[in-house]
Amino acid sequence: MWLELHAIFENLSYSPSVRAIVLTGAGDKAFTAGLDVQAASQSGVLAQNGRKFLDGARKATNIRRHIAEFQDCITALEKCEKPVICVLHGYTLGLGIDIATAADVRICASNTKFAIKEVDIGLAADIGTLTRLPKVVGSYSWVKDVCLTARIFGVEEALRVGLVSGVYEDKARAVEAGLKMAALIASKSPVAVQGTKELLNFSRDHNVQDGLRYTGIWNAAALQSSDVSKAMQAGMQKRTATFEKL
């Protein structure tokens, strides 16, 4: 499934017809319930009998490669040039947090239940949550609380710490809000939108001076776009600007 996710977001990233993306789960019960523990215990890297004839170094290499491939697939949301709005609902456990924190915007239905459950199955979360969640919410105390205890928390707490930016009555209304936000983003200059995502992500992972320098270099090219004059003229004339595909 995650290999398909990578391919889908790579295609969406490069498609000039796509300007914003809304991601949600099928059905009403869960965005994702996380790892199928029974299946994972019988096959794959978590199976105790898997590769039992390999020595420790070779087992470790296989596991490291598997983790890196899995991480890259989830990181595809973050690397996608287009903004990704994640609409959460129901149970959002384990991998659901990995996916959500790789997205640009997170909103949810009021019935959403969150948890970072990996310690309950004897491992440290390794697909992105432990790296991204502290940068999303900004409180290491809270992050360590939920990661070390694996406790379930609700939408009020998620909204309070900044994990989500909006809570809606049910999934249908949350999806509607996500689509409305995506439409608003899609109405903007794709040069400006994609540049903003790139610069925000870069600045998150670098110091202020590096972020300022990268922004200057980026805009030295981006400001040459005709979108700038189109947007300014539309604003002065009180009309909606239209922008070419990118």
Side-chain angles (χ1 to χ4, degrees):
M1 183 275 287
W2 58 83
L3 294 174
E4 294 172 347
L5 184 74
H6 185 280
I8 289 168
F9 272 91
E10 190 170 68
N11 287 335
L12 292 172
S13 181
Y14 298 146
S15 172
S17 298
V18 176
R19 295 197 181 184
I21 300 162
V22 177
L23 175 66
T24 191
D28 296 320
K29 186 176 181 180
F31 176 75
T32 172
L35 180 70
D36 184 334
V37 177
Q38 183 174 356
S41 65
Q42 295 172 355
S43 64
V45 297
L46 296 182
Q48 290 299 316
N49 60 351
R51 304 182 182 90
K52 62 183 178 181
F53 299 111
L54 295 179
D55 63 35
R58 286 170 175 79
K59 287 181 182 178
T61 297
N62 286 328
I63 293 172
R64 176 177 53 79
R65 288 171 177 166
H66 171 80
I67 293 172
E69 181 180 49
F70 203 159
Q71 290 173 339
D72 286 345
C73 292
I74 303 306
T75 298
L77 278 73
E78 188 173 75
K79 287 185 175 180
C80 180
E81 294 178 354
K82 317 301 169 53
V84 179
I85 301 164
C86 201
V87 180
L88 308 169
H89 62 91
Y91 288 103
T92 300
L93 312 177
L95 182 61
I97 306 294
D98 295 320
I99 293 171
T101 53
D104 299 295
V105 178
R106 291 159 296 279
I107 60 177
C108 68
S110 61
N111 70 336
T112 311
K113 301 293 183 184
F114 306 86
I116 297 95
K117 296 291 288 182
E118 281 80 354
V119 295
D120 279 350
I121 57 172
L123 57 90
D126 53 9
I127 309 301
T129 291
L130 300 187
T131 303
R132 294 189 174 99
L133 186 60
K135 295 181 179 182
V136 168
V137 304
S139 169
Y140 260 93
S141 178
W142 183 85
V143 168
K144 290 183 178 181
D145 170 1
V146 295
C147 291
L148 295 171
T149 64
R151 66 178 177 84
I152 293 176
F153 59 95
V155 296
E156 295 85 359
E157 191 170 355
L159 184 63
R160 174 173 56 82
V161 300
L163 177 58
V164 298
S165 56
V167 177
Y168 299 86
E169 184 178 348
D170 53 29
K171 179 187 174 182
R173 287 175 173 78
V175 170
E176 181 182 1
L179 291 171
K180 184 177 180 180
M181 185 188 304
L184 178 60
I185 292 171
S187 72
K188 314 293 185 183
S189 159
V191 174
V193 167
Q194 293 177 35
T196 297
K197 173 172 178 172
E198 172 68 21
L199 295 171
L200 284 170
N201 285 350
F202 182 92
S203 295
R204 177 198 61 195
D205 298 330
H206 296 79
N207 64 43
V208 172
Q209 190 57 46
D210 287 345
L212 291 171
R213 179 172 175 78
Y214 185 58
T215 299
I217 293 170
W218 183 278
N219 266 3
L223 289 176
Q224 298 182 56
S225 168
S226 61
D227 289 11
V228 177
S229 59
K230 286 181 180 179
M232 294 178 68
Q233 288 173 11
M236 290 186 293
Q237 296 170 6
K238 301 187 184 302
R239 59 176 175 83
T240 301
T242 57
F243 302 99
E244 296 177 11
K245 295 179 179 180
L246 178 61

